[in-house]
Amino acid sequence: MAGITRRAAAAGLAAAGCAPAGRVPAQTGDGPGLRVLARARGAVFGTAIRAVQLREDAALRALVAREAELLVPEWETKWDTLQPQEGRFDFSGLQDIVNHAAAANQRLRGHTLVWHEAMPPWLAPALAEGPARAQRLLEEHCRVVLGTTVTVIRDWDVVNEPIANPPGADHPAPGPGDLRDTPWRRALGPDYVELALRIARQQDCTLRLTVNDYGVEADTPWAADKRARLLRLCRRLLERGAPLDAIGIQAHLQMRHPFRAEPFIAFLQELRGMGLALAVTEMDVREPDALAPTLEARDEAVAAFTETFLRAALEGGVRSFLVWGLSDRDSWLVSMPGVRRWDGVATRGHPFDEQLRPKPMRAAFARAFG
Ligand code: XIL
């Protein structure tokens, strides 16, 4: 499998005849992009992106280049995209993203090597054949994927969402114990997170290896329980010498749940105390059930919630902030069943609106970084 390299990427961009970056919407003004403001704060700002968006949406492409220093493929580094059939790998979507990132001097992070979603149809049955087959599949996936991306991705979500959702959470998931019941856990046992980290480390000793999860932000009993579960997993992994470098906090925030800085900062500081780096990896904001009467009021409320969270995360030691999309355009918050609003209203949970105009939420990022 030929490796993906940024030099090839730059050539690829020219070869692809990619139109010059589109015009950045004038409304963004000519002030510094969030990537610049974040750097001035000693932080990094980025966004999830899809290859098709970069290929087909010149205005979004230009905005992403201006605002983001770090990109995470929303789809292109997941199993169902990378290995749709056993032994057949497809890096074409990732190559597109790498090409554009090279032109915009952006870095990438990988998401994700082990997850119970985005599994191609062949994978769960194969995992169920037993631990030896499951381990060989994971080892081969990591060998090919980490080997192919070695020059362009240096930071991976190795395991995504391993913690079981406690009772009371949106989608309570049975354990047993702290870990979610998934095809990976059933195939490889309760130490599968440690095994996945060791396999990734064995493939590339310079990678930053992250465990990424959600639902650990709010000031609710179940979020507190999930924080405790994640802390127990981290302690157990580190006590066993597992190569865990960082924790990703997805931060799919929901305004219907209260947020209080103190418990969240204490949680982050406890993770930092274990020597772990911290990243906000997928931030977006779902508005409360009862919406304010005007778009302006709604956007101001989202911005205030955003700024409170960002300031707490910064105080807790987070220095990498990714949103799960810069714009309300194409957001999973609007399209995803079980995530989109029951009343059909399109939630406004990203820094830019559908027309790529900056919203108060972007100003909240600027203030928090500023
Ligand atoms: C989501 C994507 O945004 C959707 O387009 C896709 O259909 C499902 O996955 N947590 C994660 C992300 O770790 O990978 C998910 O992304 C959102 C929740």
Side-chain angles (χ1 to χ4, degrees), residues 50-63:
R50 305 171 195 161
V52 63
Q53 290 173 312
L54 291 174
R55 280 197 302 268
E56 299 177 2
D57 188 336
L60 180 64
R61 183 167 68 232
L63 189 66

Side-chain angles (χ1 to χ4, degrees), residues 48 50 73-75 78 111-112 115 117-118 157 160-161 212 214 250 252 281-282 284 286 324 330-333 335-336 339:
R50 305 171 195 161
E74 186 173 354
W75 296 340
K78 292 175 177 175
H111 171 76
T112 171
W115 191 29
E117 304 280 355
D157 287 334
N160 194 38
E161 304 179 355
N212 190 49
Y214 71 95
Q250 289 186 9
H252 290 299
T281 52
E282 306 184 15
D284 50 29
R286 271 167 261 183
W324 204 242
D330 310 322
S331 171
W332 83 302
L333 294 179
S335 59
M336 189 81 175
V339 173

Side-chain angles (χ1 to χ4, degrees), residues 220-231:
T220 61
W222 57 84
D225 187 345
K226 194 163 185 178
R227 288 192 285 270
R229 293 174 179 207
L230 183 53
L231 287 169

Side-chain angles (χ1 to χ4, degrees), residues 12 14 29 38 60 95 102 141 143 159 202 234 244 250-251 264 292 351 354:
L60 180 64
Q95 182 67 68
H141 189 76
R143 184 187 69 79
V159 181
Q202 189 177 21
C234 293
L244 174 65
Q250 289 186 9
F264 184 61
E354 283 209 334

